[in-house]
């Protein structure tokens, strides 16, 4: 994951964190990296909510599908962009939308439960993460 530290450090979610803090935070949040082939789902409507994703390579498209299978594009995410945070922190049990890889992509998945709960290490930078997350969600809401 270290090869992505400069990309992650530039992300709004990890704004103001050093490489050492970022390394500890990713461990604390149970970060996992997944590869998704072009056209494959990153997540589907009905999947459990409760995660936040960051595009490391490639891109994803978040869509809402109607009864007839028509897709409405809600959001595009590219390298460094955060996705699914708005749905995961609303208390929804399942995702109301789907996300698909626009090209071969790599994403980091983080547990939103771990984001909102201070770990046993009482990380000093955890509060900064929550503040960054609130700022990120608020900015997207304004858009």
């Amino acid at each position: 994951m270290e090869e992505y530290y400069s990309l992650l450090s530039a992300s709004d979610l990890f704004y103001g964190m050093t490489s050492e803090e970022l390394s500890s935070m990713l461990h604390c949040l149970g970060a996992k990296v997944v590869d998704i082939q072009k056209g494959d789902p990153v997540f589907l409507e009905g999947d459990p909510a409760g995660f936040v994703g960051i595009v490391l390579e490639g891109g994803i498209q978040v869509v809402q599908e109607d009864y007839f299978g028509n897709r409405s594009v809600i959001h595009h995410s590219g390298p460094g962009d955060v996705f699914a945070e708005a749905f995961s922190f609303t208390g929804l049990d399942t995702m109301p939308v789907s996300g698909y890889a626009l090209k071969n992509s790599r994403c980091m998945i983080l547990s939103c439960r771990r984001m909102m709960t201070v770990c046993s290490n009482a990380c000093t930078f955890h509060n900064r993460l929550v503040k960054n997350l609130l700022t990120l969600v608020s900015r997207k809401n304004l858009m």
Side-chain angles (χ1 to χ4, degrees):
M1 280 192 253
E2 291 179 19
E3 66 265 28
Y4 297 107
Y5 280 9
S6 63
L7 176 73
L8 294 170
S9 295
S11 167
D12 290 339
L13 186 60
F14 298 112
Y15 176 78
M17 292 188 193
T18 67
S19 293
E20 295 79 26
E21 290 173 329
L22 184 56
S23 177
S24 295
M25 180 59 68
L26 294 177
H27 176 73
C28 177
L29 296 176
K32 63 181 178 178
V33 175
V34 295
D35 291 315
I36 305 104
Q37 297 301 309
K38 178 181 178 177
D40 285 350
V42 180
F43 58 91
L44 292 170
E45 180 179 348
D47 283 352
F51 70 92
V52 172
I54 302 172
V55 178
L56 300 175
E57 296 176 21
I60 70 153
Q61 184 177 64
V62 178
V63 299
Q64 187 166 34
E65 298 180 38
D66 67 16
Y67 177 78
F68 300 104
N70 299 312
R71 288 184 178 176
S72 297
V73 176
I74 295 175
H75 185 72
H76 288 276
S77 297
D81 290 339
V82 177
F83 62 90
E85 76 287 346
F87 304 109
S88 296
F89 291 104
T90 60
L92 295 174
D93 292 328
T94 60
M95 296 297 286
V97 296
S98 299
Y100 295 92
L102 291 170
K103 48 186 155 182
N104 291 344
S105 300
R106 177 170 280 172
C107 297
M108 179 177 289
I109 306 298
L110 307 168
S111 165
C112 75
R113 182 187 57 77
R114 288 187 177 189
M115 285 182 147
M116 300 308 292
T117 307
V118 177
C119 67
S120 59
N121 297 331
C123 306
T124 57
F125 42 84
H126 206 115
N127 287 337
R128 189 173 322 132
L129 176 77
V130 172
K131 179 182 175 193
N132 289 349
L133 180 64
L134 287 170
T135 300
L136 176 70
V137 171
S138 298
R139 284 183 186 155
K140 282 189 177 181
N141 187 36
L142 286 174
M143 293 167 99

